[in-house]
Amino acid sequence: MNQLKKRFWQEVTAANSIMIAGHIRPDGDCVGSCMALYQYFSKVFPNKEIDVYFESIPEQFGFLESIQKSKTECSDGKKYDLFVVADSSDKERLGDAKVYFENSKKTICVDHHISNLNYADLNIVEANASSTAEVIYQLLEEEKIDCEIATALYLGIIHDSGVFKYESTSRKTMEIAGVLIEKGVDTAKVIDETFYQKTYIQNQILGRVLLESMMVLEGKGIVSCVTQRMMEFFGANSGDLDGIIEQLRLTKGVEVAILLVETGILTYKVSMRSVKKVDVSEIALKFGGGGHVRAAGCTMTGTFHDVINTLLGYCEIQMNA
Ligand code: 5GP
Ligand code: MN
């Protein structure tokens, strides 16, 4: 880490213009990690040109003060000296921001996905870390972290650790969180308002998906689906589905949970979670996706039953191994 940290700061110091971006459909870790870098760089290097881009800004993260300064358009294709990517395990997940990756003189990727493809000039990937925010924290100087930066980092950590409960949560995670709390983070607000709080619509879809779920693999698996018609009926967007897969995973007896979200004709965004045996990242990678051992995703084509049968086949092989 020390050698990587040194190289990271060499690149950042040498650049006059820096763009920061995460992945498509930004989640808490993506937003928190990018905003922490954006605020820290802006504070430490007031004379550099620093920008941050998100495909969209989910409403629950709007409370981060500086997020209004972020770009949500990247058609300018501007050439930056340095492009820092946070939380994206492959180039495709950059979405439209790929243009900055292609055009920038230097690229750095900071991430915690075991499936990371090491696609940047400098890759700082810690697969054991709870979150990308945890990796970023280790690149920063503690005394330069103010309450706003700490809030962004805390946001990233709680989202990717499921509020400190997934197995990637370590002593280090908790110690970092402790430092951030001392910086004045309003922890109850961040946890309740960005993680647990649900809108009425989100609750309705959750209810519908749970109602239509099916137990498979003799009670060790659970599957469900969100169709485009359901999304239209509820007037929902993909962000409204956060947390549904976790509720499926928590079903008693379940080892693996799979949620298919219909994104086009015979096309599904697949979310997978496991409890302690199945390596869902390995399965997602077979279909061009990725993620973590216990949480991964990919996009697949076929009918609902074809996709589910294919995935359950791989789950069964692992469960019987
Ligand atoms: P989710 O199921 O919440 O969409 O994603 C779970 C985890 O898998 C996240 O860490 C996310 O980064 C990763 N993931 C989900 N979908 C994809 C995908 O299509 N490609 C890659 N590389 N990772 C994905
Ligand atoms: Mn993450």
Side-chain angles (χ1 to χ4, degrees), residues 89-90 93 113 269-273 288-292 295-299:
S89 57
D90 63 46
R93 278 180 65 78
H113 290 94
K269 173 75 187 66
V270 178
S271 274
M272 292 183 282
R273 299 290 186 273
H292 311 282
C298 55
T299 294

Side-chain angles (χ1 to χ4, degrees), residues 63-317:
F63 76 101
L64 292 172
E65 283 169 40
S66 307
I67 205 161
Q68 306 312 337
K69 294 187 210 154
S70 58
K71 292 170 74 159
T72 49
E73 246 302 317
C74 51
S75 50
D76 63 359
K78 210 179 122 114
K79 295 181 196 310
Y80 288 87
D81 292 338
L82 178 65
F83 182 44
V84 183
V85 185
D87 205 40
S88 184
S89 57
D90 63 46
K91 230 197 280 186
E92 294 316 309
R93 278 180 65 78
L94 288 170
D96 290 346
K98 210 164 100 176
V99 64
Y100 297 125
F101 187 92
E102 306 297 354
N103 288 352
S104 297
K105 289 188 199 148
K106 278 277 161 101
T107 57
I108 298 179
C109 174
V110 187
D111 190 23
H112 73 130
H113 290 94
I114 194 167
S115 59
N116 190 289
L117 298 178
N118 291 325
Y119 55 96
D121 296 327
L122 174 62
N123 300 284
I124 305 177
V125 182
E126 256 197 54
N128 292 329
S130 67
S131 51
T132 298
E134 181 176 322
V135 185
I136 286 172
Y137 172 87
Q138 295 169 78
L139 296 170
L140 310 181
E141 301 299 323
E142 191 187 312
E143 63 277 8
K144 292 182 186 148
I145 297 177
D146 59 22
C147 181
E148 218 190 329
I149 297 167
T151 301
L153 291 170
Y154 193 83
L155 174 76
I157 292 175
I158 62 143
H159 274 259
D160 262 31
S161 67
V163 192
F164 307 114
K165 77 169 180 173
Y166 298 143
E167 60 191 10
S168 58
T169 306
S170 65
R171 174 181 178 152
K172 190 157 69 173
T173 314
M174 300 308 264
E175 284 174 354
I176 293 171
V179 174
L180 300 177
I181 289 170
E182 281 187 349
K183 300 279 181 183
V185 177
D186 185 345
T187 55
K189 179 184 162 85
V190 177
I191 294 173
D192 278 344
E193 293 181 17
T194 75
F195 194 87
Y196 288 113
Q197 202 173 69
K198 296 263 175 274
T199 62
Y200 179 65
I201 284 175
Q202 288 164 350
N203 276 335
Q204 294 248 302
I205 304 182
L206 171 67
R208 173 88 183 261
V209 174
L210 296 180
L211 198 63
E212 296 195 1
S213 65
M214 286 179 293
M215 297 293 284
V216 290
L217 304 177
E218 293 163 345
K220 293 198 178 68
I222 189 164
V223 300
S224 197
C225 182
V226 181
T227 62
Q228 287 195 318
R229 275 185 70 175
M230 279 162 71
M231 295 296 276
E232 279 160 29
F233 177 80
F234 290 111
N237 58 50
S238 63
D240 291 323
L241 307 176
D242 287 354
I244 295 183
I245 183 73
E246 176 61 6
Q247 198 55 46
L248 290 169
R249 186 193 74 101
L250 283 168
T251 311
K252 192 160 183 176
V254 158
E255 164 58 26
V256 63
I258 304 175
L259 178 66
L260 301 194
V261 179
E262 188 187 33
T263 53
I265 299 164
L266 296 178
T267 308
Y268 294 95
K269 173 75 187 66
V270 178
S271 274
M272 292 183 282
R273 299 290 186 273
S274 66
V275 177
K276 62 173 184 237
K277 184 142 193 213
V278 176
D279 180 347
V280 286
S281 164
E282 190 188 299
I283 300 172
L285 269 172
K286 289 183 201 296
F287 301 100
H292 311 282
V293 177
R294 303 278 172 254
C298 55
T299 294
M300 290 174 72
T301 52
T303 65
F304 172 79
H305 287 99
D306 285 344
V307 171
I308 286 293
N309 285 338
T310 304
L311 294 171
L312 290 179
Y314 286 112
C315 293
E316 239 179 333
I317 292 170

